[in-house]
Amino acid sequence: MSAPGAAPLTGLRVVDLATLFAGPLCATMLGDFGAEVIKVEHPTRPDPSRGHGPAKDGIGLWWKLLGRNKRNLTLDLSCPDGRDLLLRLAGSTDVIIENFRPGTLERWGLGPEELHAVNPRLVLVRVTGFGQFGPYAHRPGFGTLAEAMSGFAAITGEPDGPPTLPPFGLADSIAALATAYAVMAALAGRDRTGEGQVVDMAIIEPILTVLGPQPLWYDQLGYVQPRTGNRSRNNAPRNTYRTSDGQWVAVSTSAQSVAERVMRLVGRAELIDEPWFASGTTRAEHSDELDEAVGHWIARHTRDEALSAFEKAEAAIAPVHDIRDVMEDPQYRALDSVTEVDDPELGPLRMQNVLFRLSRTPGAIRWTGRPHGADTEEILTELGLSGPEISALRAERVL
């Protein structure tokens, strides 16, 4: 194997105009694998993620993650000088990511027509709650609304409880992954045609995709998936179980062979011979009996004892971690999934590492989220502006 080379997206320039959270996270992922990402923020209204969640010494911690591997430029896009500077920047840019409401860029004279006039190879990525057209297109849209509208909340929670929303940005994060994939697809298309294009990403759609065959089930069978708590309608036993030392573990038996191993381990091998045990769907119809068998066995063992026994039996189990456990878990440590990075403002920080490992052209965290507008002079100087020109723009509050 040859020595690792430059990151795979080295030489790609991305301009991140987006906020909260799908668009910026997509840009972060691209930056992690070598893209030059320029984060554009309003001069007096920074990205809200700088103030989202807990802070240390007045410095928002979420931004340190979301803003990593990005240079920071302040620019008021709504004024003519700001518009002209973005068009100038677009001329040497491969990808622009934005999440303004449909029509906003057009109102500023920065729509696809104007951007492609200065750079026909540009990929313009538009991330919104509901997409660029349709009856909801102009509504404000956030990931929470996608989690509700997609069907996710309706199937999440206990059967007798309310629909349940996730306590983190699930739909936004899924949309970020999908948007990064869309960017790479658009760039591959550009390699063949020589032309850029517009990516229309509606946050309500990627989460609908990952929910699986629900539309098919309803279309063909009229079946509406109900809330089942931690149980599944497709296999059993599948649940969380409390151990004798008050910890929790999760068990999955998606494979028939694993289900059989679990029942032998917990001393209920006779259930394997039941006709209903032969498929996941019919096992799920007997979840009460299977949960009682597995839960009774696990309740008599500590978490470590249960994990060890399941591992020896080649049955699928995992501890239910909180973030304290994640930080100490030996598998995460071996993968360096949470890695230490030095930050000029806060010193050593631990945060999630890049998303995957490449053997020849790996990604890396080159720096953490930088202060608001930290690279404005440098970026504008690279565009050919002089010191007096930059000072004049600052005086006019363009920067």
Side-chain angles (χ1 to χ4, degrees):
M1 181 182 295
S2 62
L9 300 183
T10 298
L12 187 77
R13 172 175 278 184
V14 177
V15 172
D16 174 11
L17 307 180
T19 58
L20 294 178
F21 284 100
L25 182 55
C26 167
T28 302
M29 294 173 182
L30 298 174
D32 285 351
F33 286 89
E36 176 201 359
V37 181
I38 297 174
K39 173 70 177 181
V40 177
E41 299 176 78
H42 191 276
T44 60
R45 297 191 298 274
D47 189 306
S49 66
R50 291 182 179 273
H52 235 68
K56 180 181 179 182
D57 299 334
I59 299 169
L61 296 176
W62 201 332
W63 172 254
K64 291 298 178 182
L65 173 68
L66 194 64
R68 73 187 189 192
N69 292 335
K70 299 178 183 181
R71 294 199 291 163
N72 287 69
L73 167 69
T74 56
L75 197 59
D76 185 349
L77 301 179
S78 66
C79 68
D81 286 338
R83 169 191 179 273
D84 291 344
L85 284 173
L86 186 70
L87 288 174
R88 193 164 172 176
L89 184 60
S92 58
T93 292
D94 298 284
V95 179
I96 290 179
I97 302 172
E98 65 98 359
N99 71 337
F100 300 106
R101 289 199 208 180
T104 301
L105 281 188
E106 286 83 352
R107 189 170 68 250
W108 293 338
L110 290 169
E113 185 175 338
E114 291 87 353
L115 290 168
H116 283 140
V118 298
N119 184 356
R121 291 175 54 82
L122 178 72
V123 173
L124 174 61
V125 182
R126 318 194 78 170
V127 185
T128 57
F130 305 105
Q132 294 295 309
F133 57 91
Y136 303 165
H138 287 84
R139 293 182 182 179
F142 298 99
T144 297
L145 308 187
E147 290 146 11
M149 282 185 58
S150 63
F152 171 84
I155 65 170
T156 303
E158 294 300 321
D160 57 351
T164 302
L165 297 167
F168 67 102
L170 177 64
D172 276 302
S173 299
I174 295 171
L177 287 162
T179 305
Y181 168 52
V183 167
M184 302 316 296
L187 291 172
R190 188 183 72 172
D191 287 344
R192 292 201 313 273
T193 67
E195 295 180 341
Q197 59 184 299
V198 176
V199 173
D200 179 4
M201 176 62 67
I203 296 173
I204 60 172
E205 291 184 306
I207 189 171
L208 178 61
T209 295
V210 302
L211 284 173
Q214 288 193 54
L216 271 170
W217 287 341
Y218 180 74
D219 177 64
Q220 296 296 305
L221 303 172
Y223 175 73
V224 178
Q225 183 175 339
R227 286 191 291 282
T228 56
N230 291 324
R231 289 179 171 178
S232 168
R233 290 291 181 97
N234 303 314
N235 68 81
R238 192 262 197 184
N239 214 325
T240 57
Y241 306 92
R242 195 165 192 173
T243 61
S244 64
D245 54 348
Q247 304 296 311
W248 291 88
V249 295
V251 172
S252 176
T253 57
S254 295
Q256 180 69 23
S257 59
V258 172
E260 294 174 6
R261 290 174 200 151
V262 169
M263 301 322 296
R264 292 190 185 99
L265 172 63
V266 302
R268 297 297 303 274
E270 77 279 3
L271 294 177
I272 298 172
D273 297 325
E274 295 287 347
W276 51 261
F277 200 88
S279 78
T281 301
T282 51
R283 288 201 313 273
E285 295 171 359
H286 294 261
S287 290
D288 287 344
E289 185 173 1
L290 293 172
D291 272 346
E292 192 281 329
V294 175
H296 179 71
W297 185 92
I298 288 177
R300 293 184 287 110
H301 295 80
T302 67
R303 186 179 75 170
D304 287 346
E305 289 170 347
L307 294 173
S308 177
F310 268 69
E311 183 175 358
K312 289 177 182 176
E314 298 185 2
I317 192 172
V320 176
H321 280 344
D322 64 20
I323 192 58
R324 295 167 295 187
D325 303 312
V326 170
M327 301 291 262
E328 301 301 326
D329 186 280
Q331 183 61 32
Y332 280 127
R333 282 180 172 266
L335 296 174
D336 197 27
S337 304
V338 178
T339 196
E340 186 172 284
V341 188
D342 188 58
D343 178 73
E345 295 180 288
L346 297 176
L349 303 176
R350 286 191 291 171
M351 63 173 61
Q352 297 96 317
N353 209 336
V354 300
L355 197 57
F356 47 84
R357 286 160 292 281
L358 296 178
S359 62
R360 294 183 184 274
T361 55
I365 303 171
R366 290 162 285 155
W367 61 82
T368 55
R370 290 172 54 71
H372 181 228
D375 306 292
T376 297
E377 281 81 2
E378 180 182 69
I379 294 168
L380 294 182
T381 299
E382 291 170 1
L383 282 178
L385 275 71
S386 66
E389 287 176 313
I390 294 172
S391 297
L393 290 169
R394 282 201 182 282
E396 295 168 7
R397 299 185 179 180
V398 177
L399 306 179

